[in-house]
Amino acid sequence: MRINLPVTQHEFDLPDDVTLMSLTDTKSRITYANAAFVAASGYTRDEILGQPHNIVRHPDMPSQAFADLWATLKDGKTWTALVKNRRKSGDHYWVRANVTAVVRHGQTIGYMSVRTKPSRDEINQAEQLYGAFREDVRAAEPFSTGWSCAPGGGAGRRPCSRCPCAGASGSRWVPCRH
């Protein structure tokens, strides 16, 4: 796993109405980055194009998240999760990432990622969940199709009716296995 340094633990606050978008080839090298993604990353367009998308990977992200990302994409599904990204300066920003394969003539030719700003509550919950994964408290629990569900539909998703969190009160995250 790529470890990007330095890390400042200072949060860069994305504007509420921003949408970050990028395209990669099948090796995850960035082939397109919109102006919002370039600005959020802190890199110049020339610095980011052609680089592996994990140039913005923050070391606080648990490896299980990215293993699930690739497993989900391999299954032909779209992956959605909150992601803590690292800026060139070492600062970070949070996004709700939606990643899907770009398919032409039946062949995957790359991947598209569209990212928006999550709520502060979602970020706080993700920090707790990801901390538990990093500390091996939840190492045996899989991410499922990108996210763990939450009461009230955290992370932009409604909890599925079969999950233990469905209809629960409070904001405790539990893995969705459905």
Side-chain angles (χ1 to χ4, degrees):
M1 182 170 89
R2 180 179 182 141
I3 305 293
N4 292 324
L5 296 173
V7 172
T8 66
Q9 295 301 354
H10 178 265
E11 185 169 358
F12 174 78
D13 190 31
L14 291 175
D16 291 335
D17 61 348
V18 73
T19 299
L20 313 181
M21 185 190 162
S22 58
L23 296 171
T24 68
D25 62 17
T26 57
K27 303 275 190 219
S28 198
R29 291 180 299 249
I30 300 168
T31 58
Y32 170 80
N34 73 353
F37 176 50
V38 171
S41 75
Y43 290 93
T44 67
R45 186 174 309 282
D46 288 341
E47 288 175 314
I48 208 163
L49 290 179
Q51 294 299 312
H53 207 284
N54 66 10
I55 192 171
V56 294
R57 179 178 286 175
H58 195 285
D60 285 355
M61 281 299 297
S63 60
Q64 295 94 329
F66 298 106
D68 181 67
L69 162 72
W70 292 111
T72 301
L73 292 173
K74 184 179 177 183
D75 284 347
K77 298 177 183 172
T78 298
W79 186 82
T80 300
L82 262 61
V83 176
K84 183 179 186 178
N85 282 335
R86 182 191 159 277
R87 302 184 80 220
K88 181 180 179 180
S89 67
D91 294 352
H92 68 273
Y93 60 97
W94 282 92
V95 294
R96 178 182 304 101
N98 297 282
V99 184
T100 193
V102 177
V103 178
R104 297 285 186 267
H105 307 293
Q107 294 290 321
T108 297
I109 62 166
Y111 302 95
M112 178 174 57
S113 179
V114 177
R115 297 167 305 281
T116 56
K117 182 179 179 177
S119 72
R120 178 55 47 195
D121 185 52
E122 291 171 310
I123 292 168
N124 292 340
Q125 293 174 28
E127 284 178 328
Q128 290 178 351
L129 177 68
Y130 292 174
F133 272 97
R134 285 192 311 273
E135 294 166 14
D136 286 335
V137 172
R138 293 192 168 196
E141 296 178 8
F143 277 63
S144 180
T145 315
W147 194 242
S148 296
C149 63
R157 291 175 47 175
R158 291 194 317 255
C160 79
S161 61
R162 296 182 290 169
C163 291
C165 63
S169 62
S171 59
R172 187 172 147 279
W173 290 94
V174 295
C176 176
R177 299 194 191 323
H178 306 108

